[in-house]
Amino acid sequence: MEQLVGVHHHHSSSSSLSPRTPSPTHPLPHLLRLPSSSNRLRPPDHPHSSHPVSKLLRVTPPFFLVLLAAVYLLASFTIFSSPAASLRPSKNHPKLLLPMPAPSPPPPDLFELHGGRIRAWITNVGATVTSLLVPDNNGVLGDVVLGFDSLDPYQEKCSTFNDACLNNLKLSVALLPVYWKIKDGKFTLNDKQYSLAINNPPNTLHGGFKGFDKVIWEVAEYVKGENPSITFKYYSKDGEEGFPGDVSVTARYSILASTTLKLEMEAIPLNKATPISLAQHTYWNLAGHNSGDVLAHTVQILGSQITPVDETSIPTGEMMPVSGSPFNFLTETTIGSRIDQVPGGYDHNFVIDCGEVKSGLCHVAKVTDPSSSRVLDIWADAPGVQFYTGNFLNGIVGKGGAVYGKHAGLCLETQGFPNAVNQPNFPSVVVQPGEKYSHTMLFEFSTK
């Protein structure tokens, strides 16, 4: 400790600093003998000036004064040279800078946003929407989000390739959404090749084994009342899951106009260029999370092209028109009507045409459930949207004991194009240090 705070111990000989120990061969009175000249301290009229005892008593008081002075000096030296002196401020010593312990991560928690006609529950585990209550055409609230009763499953480090985890918000400094992958887990940026975690062989999916969906985010702001919102923050360190650079990320949920959930995502690379694309990955079932599959839902996707994929679901770099194919959702189409024509089910990136615009956001998709008449319109400012039909859900036990089977939910994840970091003809997802990446989505609910 003394070395840390810059305290210097001064060592010196005991003969010069310590009182001598009386020798056992010389009784104390002998040490008190003084020359006759010391008698000047005796009062001149003392009647017993010649008595030995009187002489000893006369010399004792000044001796004790000298002894006390010596003790005082010795004590002062000891105090001011001891380690405790380091607690006193000194202009001549550098300030102590003790290493601070790393802050403990915040505990998993759940937060409610009550916006009048809809109510959302969101956790800081992955900034995930766990429940969303939305009215049907009779005003009856139903939970339209697949999820779990506790927060533990959201933290499991399992692959979302088989949907063993229902991570509703996938945020990653990676190219993402389900099958939104990086080919072979590698990319080159500024003449340097980066190798990532291969969590979906042979590719990287959702940012690696522990993407942003698995971490616990800091709650930066939580506002209740008329315009409820919650803002999460996360700091991704250079090299996390193999990606370059420190990145500061925020995700803010808010409820607008009583039936609209808004998500604003931002990320700023601090010191290195890095690929960034943040995507929201909720599994929707507008009939209710426990109502079976979504094959009767109708979907409209306002994208006239898709990015076709290879045998490992990595985009080839081409653009393919949807006209005349089972991917044509330019008009409202029932999901189940042509899903059997797509091996494995829908899991493809659509190129957004951006026709109708609201608040600077393009109309991306519209989903309708005929049984409840609930309608979901999605608006965003991203170039693509991944349409996924829960193809790998297989008997997962969710909220209230509901069993989620194949096609129990659908995802519409607005995004940059999959594997764009390796496809120069795709819109770039590389963000330079100091630049701000932003991505906003609106989930607008109504009834038909």
Side-chain angles (χ1 to χ4, degrees):
M1 179 64 183
E2 291 82 4
Q3 293 177 349
L4 285 176
V5 297
V7 172
H8 302 285
H9 292 283
H10 302 280
H11 300 283
S12 55
S13 169
S14 61
S15 61
S16 62
L17 296 179
S18 304
R20 300 187 186 191
T21 304
S23 170
T25 59
H26 300 285
L28 183 60
H30 288 265
L31 297 177
L32 299 176
R33 290 177 183 172
L34 299 174
S36 59
S37 62
S38 67
N39 291 342
R40 68 182 183 275
L41 300 176
R42 298 192 305 253
D45 56 349
H46 199 285
H48 306 291
S49 59
S50 62
H51 195 280
V53 175
S54 300
K55 186 183 294 185
L56 176 63
L57 292 175
R58 281 193 296 272
V59 300
T60 297
F63 170 78
F64 273 114
L65 290 175
V66 173
L67 183 61
L68 286 172
V71 171
Y72 175 80
L73 291 174
L74 180 61
S76 299
F77 177 83
T78 303
I79 291 172
F80 284 97
S81 63
S82 67
S86 64
L87 300 178
R88 300 189 305 273
S90 171
K91 295 181 180 180
N92 299 324
H93 292 83
K95 291 183 179 180
L96 173 62
L97 295 176
L98 291 175
M100 297 298 291
S104 300
D109 207 347
L110 194 63
F111 305 88
E112 180 183 4
L113 299 184
H114 196 326
R117 297 188 63 199
I118 65 173
R119 297 171 67 183
W121 282 266
I122 304 168
T123 176
N124 58 340
V125 179
T128 303
V129 176
T130 64
S131 293
L132 184 63
L133 298 184
V134 178
D136 63 11
N137 58 343
N138 294 316
V140 177
L141 293 177
D143 188 351
V144 297
V145 169
L146 276 61
F148 300 103
D149 286 324
S150 74
L151 297 180
D152 291 340
Y154 295 101
Q155 302 179 74
E156 293 177 7
K157 296 179 181 179
C158 51
S159 169
T160 52
F161 173 77
N162 57 13
D163 295 292
C165 287
L166 298 178
N167 303 111
N168 295 328
L169 178 60
K170 290 289 194 182
L171 296 182
S172 181
V173 188
L175 305 177
L176 217 188
V178 173
Y179 279 141
W180 197 43
K181 304 176 181 179
I182 295 179
K183 183 176 176 62
D184 298 326
K186 295 179 180 180
F187 66 91
T188 299
L189 186 57
N190 293 334
D191 298 322
K192 181 178 179 179
Q193 186 178 81
Y194 293 91
S195 296
L196 313 176
I198 306 297
N199 62 329
N200 182 223
N203 306 309
T204 297
L205 172 69
H206 293 165
F209 288 106
K210 190 175 182 180
F212 291 0
D213 59 300
K214 300 292 194 304
V215 300
I216 299 179
W217 294 54
E218 171 194 350
V219 178
E221 184 182 54
Y222 182 28
V223 178
K224 300 180 181 180
E226 217 173 294
N227 300 297
S229 67
I230 188 163
T231 302
F232 299 103
K233 286 191 175 182
Y234 180 66
Y235 183 83
S236 177
K237 296 181 180 179
D238 184 20
E240 185 172 328
E241 296 296 315
F243 290 93
D246 299 319
V247 182
S248 177
V249 190
T250 63
R252 181 178 185 267
Y253 287 96
S254 56
I255 293 181
L256 312 176
S258 77
T259 57
T260 299
L261 179 67
K262 183 178 184 180
L263 172 59
E264 300 162 277
M265 298 175 278
E266 293 183 350
I268 300 176
L270 304 181
N271 44 28
K272 293 181 182 179
T274 190
I276 301 178
S277 187
L278 309 181
Q280 218 279 355
H281 189 339
T282 293
Y283 288 78
W284 305 103
N285 187 324
L286 299 186
H289 78 98
N290 56 354
S291 62
D293 63 54
V294 294
L295 297 180
H297 284 43
T298 63
V299 172
Q300 180 184 24
I301 300 175
L302 300 170
S304 57
Q305 299 179 92
I306 64 166
T307 53
V309 296
D310 62 19
E311 65 279 359
T312 64
S313 296
I314 291 290
T316 62
E318 303 170 282
M319 304 282 189
M320 185 186 86
V322 299
S323 178
S325 78
F327 300 100
N328 188 351
F329 287 93
L330 290 171
T331 57
E332 293 185 59
T333 303
T334 304
I335 294 175
S337 63
R338 297 175 304 195
I339 196 171
D340 58 345
Q341 300 177 37
V342 181
Y346 292 104
D347 192 4
H348 297 78
N349 174 64
F350 287 71
V351 180
I352 298 171
D353 293 336
C354 198
E356 185 182 1
V357 176
K358 174 186 289 188
S359 302
L361 306 178
C362 300
H363 193 193
V364 174
K366 180 179 181 180
V367 184
T368 304
D369 167 49
S371 65
S372 65
S373 295
R374 292 188 184 99
V375 177
L376 168 60
D377 282 282
I378 296 177
W379 307 74
D381 54 4
V385 59
Q386 189 86 9
F387 177 43
Y388 173 61
T389 49
N391 309 321
F392 297 95
L393 296 174
N394 184 20
I396 296 174
V397 179
K399 291 180 285 191
V403 177
Y404 303 141
K406 190 173 184 179
H407 309 313
L410 65 91
C411 303
L412 285 161
E413 310 151 46
T414 58
Q415 59 180 16
F417 294 174
N419 199 40
V421 72
N422 290 316
Q423 291 289 355
N425 59 316
F426 283 179
S428 176
V429 293
V430 174
V431 185
Q432 300 297 325
E435 293 180 350
K436 180 188 289 187
Y437 163 93
S438 63
H439 179 190
T440 301
M441 300 181 72
L442 292 179
F443 304 95
E444 185 180 54
F445 293 92
S446 61
T447 53
K448 189 172 181 180

